[in-house]
Amino acid sequence: MAKILVIDDDTHIREVCRLVIEGMGHEVETRPSLTKGLDALDNDVYDVVYLDVDLPDGNGLLSIPKIIERDKAPEVIIFTGASYPNGAELAIKNGAWDYIEKPATAETMTLPLIRALQYRKEKFANRPPAVALKREGIIGNSQRVASCLDLVAQAANADANTLITGETGTGKELFARAIHDNSDRAEGPFVVVDCSSLTETLIESVLFGHAKGAFTGAEKKQEGLIKQADKGTLFLDEVGELPFSQQKAFLRVLQERRFRPVGAKEEETSDFRLVAATNKDLEALVAAGGFRNDLLFRLRTMHIHIPPLRERGEDIRELAIHYMNAYCKKYKVPLKGFSPEFLDCLQEYDWPGNVRELVNLMENIIVRAQFEPTLYPKHLPPEVRIRIMSGKRQENGNGQELEPAQGAEPAAAAAEMALTPFDAYKKDTEFRYFKALMQQTGGDIHKACELSELGKQSLYRYLRIHGIPTRA
């Protein structure tokens, strides 16, 4: 018997779902709002969630990531009467099992449930025993990091090409090394290729190598990076910078693992595993004609997206302590304590440079405060403190509301107003505002900050509170 949760504000729909699903022999619980549904998920484990889209306190489609980023997360079936042109696409992108529009027949409604439960039974029955991953340098135990590490484990157990995406400074190379270190190729070389530094005139020689006398100055045969990665891992960093003119040649190498060094008569082979990383949107580059679609397909057999630090705030404390201790040891100074306000500032900062910025920040602080036993906000660099305070001022400025003149609202209108608890009204109003803001700006954070006059850290905090993604 499985445990099913139905989140729908329509009493009739909830009861119909209960009768149908209980008739299949499963346990059913229902909730009339998104908030109550998420509370139920926090307090119990469910196998499948039937989720409506238009709920009184939020959008079901946008809440899917919050539901599935859990240990033994339930499968989510969107069951809605709302008609969205891209509703099914958004549901699948966000990780839903299926998308069903009301009204639906009993078969249409229950078949996805049968298949989802069958999938979960097979998934957990065949799950291999947990093995501790080598994760040197990857600090944090948030659910987002755990999800990435699950994908690292899957990639390490296979030899498939893997694409790692994420903003600058999120630690993409650390995750690439973790794949290598946990794979059967761990004893082989890990060869890094910085695609942003490859010029069109040198790329063939650097990647493929060259024969003696291939060009002026080629006094001896030189192995390329692809050959050096034989029996190991070839890591293409910033693969979005790979010159378009050379992408076809590299595609052939990926397909056949064969290449010809510059000036050589014979082809050579290399048994390497490919991991690539980029901070660019490769699909947008393909659309703009700057990246080959067939190469993208080859690179993205597996895909791991590393979240920015602002979306994994629960890891900031652990990261700060780890690097504080590491730099105290490096500079041979006593370990330090820190005030609660110091950690509060780290949490409020939006970390545009991600983990890399935090690492550099902690070194900067330890160098400047070597002989001070406790860290306070004053130890933060001025530009960081100014950015935090700027966000607070903008947030406080926008939080001020003008009181209406007494008697300005007719008594009749006030009597007709449907009153709800103030906290619920405020939450619903904020949700609708930030939902509209992200839709109107197309998810562009810079434009959203300009329009709302909020600082980045404040905007991201509201988006996290209300479960609104920055982009569909």
Side-chain angles (χ1 to χ4, degrees):
M1 180 176 69
K3 194 165 186 177
I4 316 299
L5 177 64
V6 178
I7 304 175
D8 199 302
D9 61 338
D10 189 313
T11 304
H12 175 69
I13 293 294
R14 293 200 303 273
E15 289 308 308
V16 168
C17 288
R18 180 191 294 277
L19 289 172
V20 172
I21 298 171
E22 284 183 342
M24 298 170 66
H26 302 303
E27 181 181 349
V28 185
E29 291 188 11
T30 65
R31 296 292 186 275
S33 67
L34 186 59
T35 301
K36 292 183 178 179
L38 294 176
D39 287 343
L41 288 164
D42 287 337
N43 296 318
D44 208 342
V45 177
Y46 297 87
D47 295 287
V48 175
V49 175
Y50 277 88
L51 180 63
D52 194 10
V53 174
D54 280 336
L55 291 161
D57 53 349
N59 184 302
L61 288 173
L62 302 181
S63 301
I64 298 173
K66 295 175 66 174
I67 295 175
I68 64 176
E69 289 178 354
R70 302 162 181 264
D71 186 35
K72 289 192 176 182
E75 309 307 321
V76 177
I77 298 173
I78 294 295
F79 188 47
T80 181
S83 180
Y84 288 92
N86 63 339
E89 178 184 351
L90 182 57
I92 299 304
K93 280 185 176 180
N94 283 348
W97 176 266
D98 206 345
Y99 182 93
I100 306 170
E101 291 188 357
K102 307 170 189 173
T105 64
E107 181 181 5
T108 303
M109 175 185 166
T110 57
L111 182 58
L113 174 60
I114 294 171
R115 294 290 181 255
L117 293 176
Q118 179 184 354
Y119 162 77
R120 289 177 68 80
K121 182 178 179 180
E122 295 172 351
K123 174 183 176 181
F124 293 118
N126 298 317
R127 173 174 286 184
V131 177
L133 282 176
K134 298 175 185 176
R135 48 180 289 185
E136 185 177 356
I138 301 176
I139 310 300
N141 292 289
S142 64
Q143 186 58 47
R144 284 181 173 269
V145 170
S147 297
C148 290
L149 290 173
D150 284 344
L151 293 173
V152 166
Q154 293 174 26
N157 287 328
D159 217 24
N161 298 334
T162 302
L163 177 65
I164 303 175
T165 58
E167 295 178 6
T168 298
T170 49
K172 296 184 287 296
E173 184 172 341
L174 290 176
F175 282 85
R177 286 187 179 273
I179 293 172
H180 173 76
D181 291 342
N182 290 280
S183 72
D184 292 338
R185 296 175 177 268
E187 299 301 318
F190 181 84
V191 178
V192 179
V193 180
D194 182 3
C195 296
S196 64
S197 67
L198 296 177
T199 63
E200 293 197 32
T201 55
L202 292 178
I203 185 170
E204 289 190 358
S205 177
V206 172
L207 290 180
F208 306 145
H210 59 77
K212 179 180 179 180
F215 49 83
T216 302
E219 298 179 354
K220 61 180 181 179
K221 178 181 178 181
Q222 179 67 48
E223 276 190 347
L225 295 177
I226 291 175
K227 186 63 177 179
Q228 292 176 26
D230 190 32
K231 308 301 182 185
T233 300
L234 181 69
F235 175 53
L236 292 184
D237 196 15
E238 300 303 339
V239 69
E241 303 288 347
L242 192 65
F244 188 83
S245 60
Q246 297 298 326
Q247 291 177 19
K248 184 176 182 180
F250 192 76
L251 178 63
R252 179 176 180 271
V253 176
L254 288 184
Q255 292 171 334
E256 302 179 12
R257 295 303 196 264
R258 300 181 64 86
F259 60 95
R260 188 190 304 275
V262 177
K265 296 180 180 179
E266 302 291 335
E267 286 192 330
E268 296 184 6
T269 62
S270 178
D271 175 21
F272 64 89
R273 190 269 176 83
L274 180 76
V275 179
T278 183
N279 62 3
K280 294 184 177 295
D281 184 342
L282 294 187
E283 289 188 348
L285 279 179
V286 168
F291 203 84
R292 291 180 64 97
N293 204 26
D294 47 3
L295 179 55
L296 174 57
F297 290 148
R298 281 283 178 180
L299 296 176
R300 199 173 53 185
T301 305
M302 289 199 68
H303 180 205
I304 303 174
H305 179 72
I306 313 301
L309 184 55
R310 61 182 172 273
E311 293 180 6
R312 40 178 289 218
E314 55 267 55
D315 291 327
I316 290 175
R317 176 190 175 94
E318 187 176 352
L319 282 160
I321 292 174
H322 174 85
Y323 286 106
M324 178 182 68
N325 293 341
Y327 285 118
C328 284
K329 182 178 179 180
K330 176 180 178 179
Y331 292 106
K332 300 178 181 179
V333 299
L335 296 180
K336 301 184 182 300
F338 41 78
S339 68
E341 294 81 10
F342 178 80
L343 280 178
D344 288 344
C345 286
L346 297 185
Q347 293 283 354
E348 291 171 1
Y349 188 52
D350 60 350
W351 300 108
N354 292 294
V355 177
R356 183 183 300 156
E357 182 182 8
L358 186 146
V359 174
N360 293 335
L361 175 71
M362 294 311 300
E363 182 174 19
N364 172 284
I365 291 172
I366 298 304
V367 168
R368 291 187 295 106
Q370 291 189 33
F371 305 107
E372 299 178 41
T374 305
L375 300 180
Y376 297 93
K378 73 180 293 291
H379 290 108
L380 293 168
E383 61 272 18
V384 171
R385 297 179 68 189
I386 291 170
R387 191 178 179 101
I388 292 171
M389 295 306 298
S390 176
K392 285 182 177 179
R393 284 197 302 270
Q394 291 182 18
E395 181 180 346
N396 292 336
N398 281 296
Q400 295 175 355
E401 294 182 5
L402 296 176
E403 294 185 4
Q406 292 185 355
E409 180 176 338
E416 293 175 2
M417 182 177 180
L419 295 177
T420 60
F422 177 73
D423 285 344
Y425 172 79
K426 181 181 177 183
K427 185 174 182 180
D428 180 61
T429 303
E430 284 184 355
F431 172 81
R432 294 178 184 278
Y433 174 82
F434 288 107
K435 177 183 175 183
L437 178 66
M438 299 315 294
Q439 288 176 341
Q440 289 183 25
T441 59
D444 187 317
I445 293 297
H446 181 70
K447 290 182 181 177
C449 288
E450 288 184 345
L451 187 60
S452 65
E453 295 185 359
L454 287 172
K456 268 190 178 181
Q457 66 270 28
S458 299
L459 178 59
Y460 277 117
R461 183 163 61 252
Y462 281 119
L463 295 180
R464 285 198 301 270
I465 289 172
H466 297 289
I468 300 172
T470 56
R471 52 184 179 272

